[in-house]
């Protein structure tokens, strides 16, 4: 309904597709829209462009947290927010409704496909690490399944050795390296950081040697001195 003192509603289109961010960096949406709005009694220059700019900014806040995989879902979400009058007002106009159409550019589609492949590869590698390479016998079976050939004894030994090395690195060396880096992080100067690590290594080695040294047979009660 339009009151007699209100200005007539205007319909403004998008002269060219605009980019809206998605939840995936580097994969923006390309949007076109038609917006219906009503100027206020107070008017200003370039009001049509301000309506477009404000709508793009508001739409970007909606799409920034949405995944580009579900293009129609994102489009529906935008149109649910802006598809009917919700009282959005500025001193110069009132937004009545807007309709969006989204697409992904060929570059964005290619980037998204690469990211999907990377995500799937990481998921598979994590599964293999958790369910396969912690068990040397399964590593051999996996090799046999892939090659359809029985490996010789030397190959079996190499595969099992590799599996044990992966498991031991995760169980021992990785935590050790974390502690090593934590010690070095306490010093800004690279030279002092290296020296601190050397001191830690020397003291740790001496402590372990003392703890594991056999008792002196000449000392009373098995103790030296």
């Amino acid at each position: 309904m339009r009151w007699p003192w209100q200005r007539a509603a205007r319909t403004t289109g998008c002269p060219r597709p605009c980019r809206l961010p998605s939840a995936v960096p580097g994969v923006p949406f390309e949007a076109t829209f038609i917006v219906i709005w009503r100027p206020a009694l107070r008017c200003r220059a370039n009001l049509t462009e301000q309506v477009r700019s404000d709508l793009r900014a508001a739409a970007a806040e909606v799409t920034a947290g949405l995944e580009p995989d579900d293009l129609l879902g994102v489009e529906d979400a935008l149109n649910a927010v802006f598809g009917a009058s919700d009282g959005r007002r500025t001193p110069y106009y009132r937004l009545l409704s807007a309709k969006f159409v989204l697409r992904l550019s060929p570059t964005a589609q290619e980037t998204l496909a690469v990211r999907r492949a990377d995500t799937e590869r990481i998921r598979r590698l994590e599964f293999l690490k958790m369910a396969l390479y912690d068990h040397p016998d399964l590593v051999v079976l996996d090799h046999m399944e892939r090659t359809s050939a029985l490996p010789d004894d030397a190959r079996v030994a190499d595969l099992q050795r590799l599996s044990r090395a992966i498991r031991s690195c995760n169980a021992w060396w990785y935590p050790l390296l974390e502690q090593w880096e934590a010690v070095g992080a306490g010093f800004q100067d690279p030279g002092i950081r290296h020296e601190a690590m050397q001191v830690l290594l020397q003291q740790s080695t001496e402590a372990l040697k003392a703890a594991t040294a056999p008792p002196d047979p000449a000392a009373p009660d098995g103790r030296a001195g």
Side-chain angles (χ1 to χ4, degrees):
M1 177 179 178
R2 175 191 170 194
W3 298 101
W5 60 83
Q6 289 180 325
R7 293 177 181 269
R10 299 182 185 180
T11 300
T12 300
C14 188
R16 56 183 179 275
C18 63
R19 288 191 171 189
L20 299 177
S22 75
V24 179
V27 185
F29 300 103
E30 287 193 352
T32 56
F33 57 81
I34 295 176
V35 55
I36 302 175
W37 56 284
R38 190 188 307 280
L41 294 180
R42 297 172 59 189
C43 198
R44 56 165 293 178
N46 300 323
L47 185 55
T48 299
E49 185 54 41
Q50 181 182 347
V51 172
R52 292 195 189 104
S53 178
D54 291 347
L55 184 60
R56 286 194 296 265
E61 293 181 1
V62 176
T63 63
L66 301 178
E67 296 289 337
D69 300 80
D70 186 10
L71 193 63
L72 292 179
V74 178
E75 189 176 283
D76 288 343
L78 275 177
N79 289 326
V81 174
F82 300 103
S85 176
D86 60 355
R88 293 172 181 264
R89 296 175 180 269
T90 75
Y92 303 103
Y93 70 90
R94 178 183 179 186
L95 177 66
L96 300 179
S97 67
K99 181 175 177 58
F100 284 83
V101 176
L102 299 182
R103 75 180 188 96
L104 293 177
S105 68
T107 300
Q109 293 180 25
E110 182 179 352
T111 302
L112 184 59
V114 171
R115 289 178 180 270
R116 286 172 179 166
D118 290 343
T119 300
E120 178 60 24
R121 180 170 179 270
I122 292 173
R123 186 200 63 78
R124 174 170 173 76
L125 290 175
E126 290 177 342
F127 170 79
L128 290 176
K129 174 185 176 297
M130 177 182 67
L132 184 64
Y133 289 106
D134 282 350
H135 304 279
D137 51 344
L138 291 182
V139 176
V140 178
L141 294 175
D142 177 66
H143 176 81
M144 292 170 59
E145 181 183 20
R146 291 173 181 271
T147 61
S148 301
L150 292 175
D152 55 29
D153 291 344
R155 183 59 175 166
V156 169
D158 289 341
L159 291 171
Q160 291 181 335
R161 189 177 300 111
L162 172 62
S163 176
R164 290 193 299 270
I166 294 174
R167 186 175 184 180
S168 64
C169 284
N170 288 331
W172 297 99
W173 292 113
Y174 184 74
L176 179 61
L177 289 175
E178 282 191 324
Q179 296 300 319
W180 190 267
E181 291 178 356
V183 172
F187 304 93
Q188 297 297 326
D189 184 81
I192 297 178
R193 183 183 303 137
H194 180 71
E195 184 178 348
M197 292 181 176
Q198 292 295 329
V199 170
L200 175 63
L201 175 62
Q202 181 180 359
Q203 291 180 347
S204 300
T205 303
E206 292 176 353
L208 287 174
K209 285 182 178 180
T212 58
D216 186 352
D221 299 327
R223 291 176 294 180

